[in-house]
Amino acid sequence: MTEIRLYVPLAMGLLALGSTGCESRRAPLTADSPLHLEDHLDAATIVGSEITSGLPPLAEWRFDEAQPDWKPVTDTDRSMGSLRVVKTDEALRVTLDEDEREASAGRLRGEISVGLEQSEPADWSYVLVRARSSVEARGFELGARLADEPVGGGGLGDRSGLQASVVAVINDGQVQTYVMPLARAADHPFDPAVSAPWGSAHGGTGGLREAEPQERTRRLGLVFKADDPASIDLLSVSIIPLETDYADVPVGVRTVARGAVQRRTLYTHAPGRVDYRIRVPQGGRLDVGLAVLRDDAPVTFRIGVRGADRETQTLLEESYSDGARWGQRTLDLSDYSGQIVNLSLEAEAERAGTVALWGAPTLTGVRATVKPNVIFYVIDGAAAELMSVYGYERGTTPNLERIAAEGAIFEYAYSNSDWSKPSTASFMTSLHHSVLGGLDRSDPIPDEARTMAELLHAADYQTAVFASNPYAGSLSNLQRGVDVFRDGDVQVKSMAAAELHADYWSWRDAYPGEPYWVHFQPTDVHDPWESVAPFAGRYVDPERRSRFYEWRAQLREAGGFARWWAHFDEFGIDRREFSEIGSDLYDETMAHLDHRIGRLVEQLKARGEWERTLFVVAADHGQYEAGLPLLDPMPPGLVAPGKWTPNISAWVSRIPLIIVWPERISPGQRFSDPVSMIDVLPTILELTDTPGPEILQGRSLAPLLLGEKRWEPTPVILDEFYVDEKTGELNGVIEVVDGRWGASLEINPTDRGEWIPPENRRPAPLLLYDLRKDPQCLHSLHEERPDLVEKYTAFLEARWGEHQALAQRFTQPQAMPITAEQLRALRALGYIQ
């Protein structure tokens, strides 16, 4: 969703430079490793590609000023009431009261709208709303639609209106940016003949399609729905034209989405040409995806090669007009192996300035590098204690047991936080959460923090991400440096790996060059644990499964994960049985995912890639639900509520870490020293001989893996913080695992609203645990061992000071826009109610 643009200075020959005089003086690009053409505009010659003039104006309303044209919709059929709309100093406050409850649906509903100048619906891309809400309300939703007058009457489902996306409102008191695409269309990451849902239009996915050829957009309506009374402050509303995002520079680079898949894309304007002087590798091939903004604005794509004979051979000439899907193309350059050629990417269109999109244009040849491929496989929500590869009594992970036997297993690896957003951001940058600014929901990783993908991409790796958790993707700004990116919604949560693996193999067929780096993060073992055949029923019969889902629905309706404990007695739910069934369902999903991983490795071996692949299996956090463990049997101390659970608890943060590289890492190794997920990035960088950034807080595990003597165990730090809305300070916990001892220090204590009920709050600033006797951290020893409390308080306060100092080197960019698909995925995973 967040664009990545490369601005090409005019001094580099951006406009209308002749190519003939420059070719002999410019050193050719080489492609011994994958050559990402979009990264080498500074070495290219650009001809034409002038920006479109006369773009449709950006429609925008800022509510720090009076906007009298925005009015509540009059309800002619009494299906909704009139909203309360009040102008504040900086916003338009819209409130849903009981008076707005729909008689039929039993929900609160209302709508406001504004008139628009006549325009073609196909010219619009998406509605962007900046808003803030701090009133927690179940099922609070915001929708936008374009429709003929009058807007009122049928709501978002009215077929007479042109519907945009519906998004869930985040009630955290922070300004959020909601992106609502105005269309749905077909898409598939690599095969234009296969259809799947659209994704974010912020990446240029196309605009609203007219329901009828003569239909005109007359009004923009914002519709609000909620189960409970709610209010929201609107700061601004904008309608974004399709081509506006590409009108700043003639040639640039950004991430462009088609459906769930995004690509790092070179964009030009027709007529225009980009010329590269290249030495073609042995067995050379060019892989590229073609795309346009709109079906009614086709582009003729032309790719040519001019060799030593000075004659240009046209390898591709195609008029492409599918605004919904990538057209994947492969061009054979093997006839030019070893030659220095001029490779040209040219676009023409009927309308001057029409945008042409070249998705991940990559030149590769026969593998000529000793660097390994890297597969970083993160099992979202995997608890080491519930995996047989770590001694769990059920055989949930037989395939991982076989895989681990080929390399090394770390007995005590820890995630850095207790949920996906801060944890993934930390291990992808090897920086702690507080150093990154205390990222919350839509906060992106700072631009100065180099990610694993960026570092490997800069080292000429092909890069791809296949994740079903938006926090592992573009909602965290982790699409940077990624050639092909798929994150977010999947059809069945517990079948995520199957979808992601299929996309991976499609990507490998389309981009077979090596070396490559790929990041998987499937949510198969994450709540809601919807196990599938043949593993469904292995541990849970249909009656128990049905009972569990009924109980869970009651608990969610009563207030969500953070308040489950308070409602068990109210609904007559047996805590122990609930936990045991949940654990059984979790085991079924783990067994299924283990099977999928086993199949993936089998295919890698069958294709001859396994021996030259560095395979890392890990997790972003363990498995728990707001202090409710999924352990069998459940520890007696947790039968009653009132326990505050630190992140160093084994079920919260002890995760798998398995590293295999058949060519370099000796098999059968097991290490007992505590290690951290932020150690993974420096480890991969060292093993692949890739330069790293100036700041890494993790340590390379390569000395352990390679049997070298330069390793000394050190304490493991966990760090999870949030920005206090009132003071702007970070508050949270910093924790340490130091041999047998674990300590958790609270910094700038705050209630964070009702996030932690009073009876569940910490009994002391520093909690102390003997992790050998009490790995689940059920009993703090802060009263029994004041000497250790003093020691670890001083130690953690010093680390906290270091983190604060490092944080000054990073700036916080604006919050990421959140699409309907991302919010739907987050809701399914339990992060948003």
Side-chain angles (χ1 to χ4, degrees):
M1 291 180 302
T2 293
E3 62 191 57
I4 305 173
R5 290 179 177 157
L6 174 61
Y7 298 92
V8 185
L10 293 175
M12 292 181 178
L14 180 60
L15 296 175
L17 292 181
S19 60
T20 303
C22 298
E23 289 178 8
S24 61
R25 296 193 299 270
R26 180 171 292 161
L29 299 171
T30 60
D32 295 330
S33 296
L35 180 67
H36 309 283
L37 295 182
E38 77 278 6
D39 290 341
H40 296 281
L41 285 176
D42 57 343
T45 299
I46 314 299
V47 180
S49 193
E50 296 182 3
I51 299 173
T52 302
S53 59
L55 286 173
L58 175 68
E60 182 176 33
W61 298 266
R62 296 178 58 90
F63 295 107
D64 54 354
E65 303 173 354
Q67 298 290 349
D69 293 336
W70 278 91
K71 300 176 182 178
V73 173
T74 300
D75 182 17
T76 58
D77 63 2
R78 300 184 181 278
S79 65
M80 63 181 181
S82 298
L83 294 177
R84 282 198 294 119
V85 180
V86 178
K87 176 71 177 70
T88 68
D89 291 341
E90 62 172 355
L92 188 68
R93 179 165 297 163
V94 179
T95 301
L96 285 168
D97 288 327
E98 284 294 334
D99 292 341
E100 283 74 53
R101 190 173 296 280
E102 297 180 44
S104 59
R107 303 192 71 199
L108 304 178
R109 181 180 178 278
E111 184 171 354
I112 60 175
S113 72
V114 67
L116 298 172
E117 296 181 2
Q118 182 171 308
S119 63
E120 293 291 340
D123 289 339
W124 302 107
S125 177
Y126 56 90
V127 175
L128 187 147
V129 176
R130 294 180 63 250
R132 177 179 56 237
S133 175
S134 58
V135 178
E136 293 195 18
R138 293 173 299 171
F140 195 5
E141 295 177 338
L142 166 66
R145 67 184 187 123
L146 300 173
D148 289 337
E149 290 191 81
V151 174
L156 285 176
D158 183 4
R159 293 185 180 182
S160 66
L162 297 171
Q163 182 176 339
S165 299
V166 179
V167 299
V169 173
I170 295 178
N171 302 299
D172 61 358
Q174 300 183 35
V175 175
Q176 303 289 347
T177 302
Y178 301 95
V179 173
M180 291 175 281
L182 301 183
R184 296 284 174 179
D187 178 54
H188 186 267
F190 305 103
D191 183 355
V194 181
S195 297
W198 271 56
S200 167
H202 192 70
T205 60
L208 182 68
R209 311 305 165 87
E210 295 180 83
E212 298 178 2
Q214 292 78 29
E215 191 168 6
R216 294 291 183 268
T217 298
R218 298 291 187 182
R219 299 190 70 85
L220 168 65
L222 294 183
V223 180
F224 309 88
K225 289 187 176 184
D227 296 328
D228 302 321
S231 65
I232 187 170
D233 287 348
L234 301 177
L235 279 69
S236 66
V237 177
S238 306
I239 300 180
I240 309 299
L242 278 175
E243 292 163 315
T244 296
D245 287 342
Y246 301 89
D248 47 6
V249 293
V251 178
V253 178
R254 62 175 301 175
T255 296
V256 174
R258 285 294 180 272
V261 174
Q262 305 178 46
R263 296 193 188 201
R264 185 173 167 82
T265 299
L266 168 65
Y267 68 88
T268 63
H269 296 79
R273 190 177 79 241
V274 183
D275 292 337
Y276 294 92
R277 192 163 181 256
I278 293 173
R279 185 184 301 277
V280 179
Q282 292 297 316
R285 60 179 282 167
L286 177 67
D287 297 296
V288 63
L290 310 179
V292 295
L293 293 187
R294 294 171 12 198
D295 295 347
D296 62 351
V299 172
T300 297
F301 292 87
R302 188 178 295 112
I303 299 177
V305 175
R306 184 170 66 249
D309 58 7
R310 311 299 295 174
E311 292 186 5
T312 299
Q313 178 184 0
T314 300
L315 302 181
L316 172 73
E317 184 169 353
E318 176 180 351
S319 178
Y320 194 79
S321 60
D322 191 336
R325 294 175 286 198
W326 293 105
Q328 183 64 34
R329 304 293 179 260
T330 295
L331 305 179
D332 185 1
L333 301 177
S334 60
D335 288 346
Y336 296 91
S337 296
Q339 297 184 33
I340 297 176
V341 303
N342 183 78
L343 178 67
S344 62
L345 309 181
E346 185 174 3
E348 293 183 354
E350 181 177 340
R351 187 183 67 172
T354 299
V355 175
L357 303 170
W358 307 82
T362 307
L363 181 66
T364 59
V366 176
R367 181 181 173 96
T369 178
V370 297
K371 289 189 173 185
N373 302 317
V374 179
I375 296 180
F376 183 30
Y377 204 107
V378 178
I379 305 174
D380 204 297
E385 297 204 353
L386 298 177
M387 302 170 72
S388 57
V389 68
Y390 280 89
Y392 185 51
E393 63 271 17
R394 278 180 175 164
T396 53
T397 55
N399 290 284
L400 283 174
E401 291 174 45
R402 289 189 288 271
I403 293 167
E406 298 188 44
I409 183 168
F410 290 85
E411 298 279 8
Y412 297 98
Y414 292 87
S415 63
N416 303 102
S417 299
D418 70 350
W419 64 293
S420 297
K421 178 64 179 275
S423 176
T424 305
S426 288
F427 64 67
M428 279 300 183
T429 60
S430 193
L431 297 170
H432 283 292
H433 189 216
S434 64
V435 174
L436 294 170
L439 309 178
D440 201 358
R441 289 195 175 98
S442 61
D443 295 330
I445 291 173
D447 293 337
E448 300 91 342
R450 302 291 302 281
T451 68
M452 190 183 299
E454 287 181 294
L455 294 165
L456 272 295
H457 182 93
D460 297 328
Y461 272 75
Q462 291 193 110
T463 54
V465 171
F466 302 100
S468 49
N469 187 337
Y471 287 142
S474 50
L475 196 50
S476 300
N477 204 17
L478 281 169
Q479 81 286 352
R480 293 164 12 194
V482 182
D483 298 326
V484 174
F485 197 109
R486 184 262 169 87
D487 72 341
D489 210 12
V490 293
Q491 296 301 311
V492 180
K493 293 296 172 231
S494 296
M495 284 286 286
E499 283 191 44
L500 301 181
H501 291 184
D503 286 346
Y504 162 76
W505 288 118
S506 295
W507 171 68
R508 290 296 297 135
D509 290 340
Y511 291 87
E514 297 184 15
Y516 62 84
W517 170 90
V518 62
H519 166 214
F520 286 104
Q521 193 153 332
T523 51
D524 296 53
V525 303
H526 200 292
D527 174 79
W529 311 308
E530 298 169 344
S531 54
V532 295
F535 296 92
R538 175 174 288 192
Y539 307 121
V540 185
D541 61 46
E543 181 181 350
R544 293 177 71 227
R545 179 190 303 269
S546 177
R547 183 159 63 248
F548 176 84
Y549 289 144
E550 180 180 346
W551 283 347
R552 189 179 60 180
Q554 289 178 302
L555 293 170
R556 280 183 167 175
E557 183 71 16
F561 294 160
R563 302 172 183 85
W564 278 18
W565 283 116
H567 298 282
F568 275 85
D569 293 339
E570 175 185 344
F571 296 116
I573 298 173
D574 185 285
R575 293 184 180 89
R576 181 180 294 276
E577 184 180 4
F578 182 87
S579 182
E580 288 174 350
I581 299 175
S583 181
D584 291 343
L585 290 171
Y586 180 88
D587 291 348
E588 289 183 351
T589 60
M590 178 65 78
H592 181 215
L593 180 58
D594 175 77
H595 169 72
R596 291 289 175 183
I597 294 174
R599 291 288 304 276
L600 175 68
V601 172
E602 288 175 5
Q603 290 175 280
L604 289 167
K605 290 181 177 180
R607 292 172 63 127
E609 295 184 17
W610 178 248
E611 294 300 319
R612 56 180 183 269
T613 297
L614 174 61
F615 193 76
V616 180
V617 178
D620 58 342
H621 54 77
Q623 184 53 62
Y624 72 104
E625 302 244 356
L628 179 67
L630 295 178
L631 299 176
D632 184 14
M634 188 166 66
L638 289 177
V639 173
K643 298 293 184 179
W644 195 95
T645 307
N647 288 342
I648 52 176
S649 168
W651 73 69
V652 176
S653 62
R654 187 184 168 212
I655 49 91
L657 182 58
I658 299 166
I659 302 180
V660 180
W661 183 7
E663 289 189 348
R664 290 288 305 278
I665 296 173
S666 298
Q669 299 185 79
R670 300 185 81 94
F671 302 108
S672 60
D673 289 343
V675 297
S676 168
M677 274 297 287
I678 63 169
D679 297 333
V680 172
L681 175 54
T683 302
I684 289 176
L685 294 178
E686 181 170 350
L687 292 176
T688 60
D689 194 25
T690 299
E694 180 182 358
I695 302 174
L696 291 173
Q697 291 186 281
R699 306 170 64 210
S700 173
L701 305 176
L704 278 175
L705 295 168
L706 301 178
E708 300 175 359
K709 296 181 179 180
R710 52 188 176 92
W711 171 265
E712 292 290 337
T714 58
V716 168
I717 301 295
L718 291 79
D719 172 321
E720 187 172 318
F721 284 84
Y722 302 88
V723 178
D724 187 279
E725 299 166 9
K726 298 178 181 179
T727 66
E729 292 182 322
L730 287 180
N731 60 70
V733 292
I734 183 168
E735 303 182 338
V736 62
V737 175
D738 185 20
R740 71 180 295 175
W741 299 109
S744 173
L745 179 68
E746 188 171 18
I747 303 292
N748 298 328
T750 178
D751 291 346
R752 286 183 56 79
E754 298 180 359
W755 178 248
I756 302 176
E759 68 272 14
N760 285 358
R761 293 175 190 161
R762 297 169 62 98
L766 185 127
L767 305 182
L768 177 71
Y769 301 93
D770 184 338
L771 299 179
R772 293 180 185 174
K773 297 180 179 179
D774 183 18
Q776 310 303 346
C777 300
L778 301 179
H779 177 65
S780 173
L781 303 174
H782 59 279
E783 294 181 348
E784 293 93 326
R785 293 299 303 269
D787 57 327
L788 293 179
V789 168
E790 181 180 1
K791 171 185 174 180
Y792 286 115
T793 298
F795 175 82
L796 289 172
E797 285 179 344
R799 300 291 80 74
W800 167 239
E802 294 171 1
H803 291 191
Q804 286 184 296
L806 280 178
Q808 303 305 309
R809 307 183 69 162
F810 300 94
T811 57
Q812 280 297 305
Q814 292 184 346
M816 306 289 291
I818 303 176
T819 68
E821 287 77 13
Q822 290 171 331
L823 281 167
R824 184 167 59 249
L826 294 178
R827 175 174 285 177
L829 294 172
Y831 288 113
I832 295 175
Q833 299 304 306

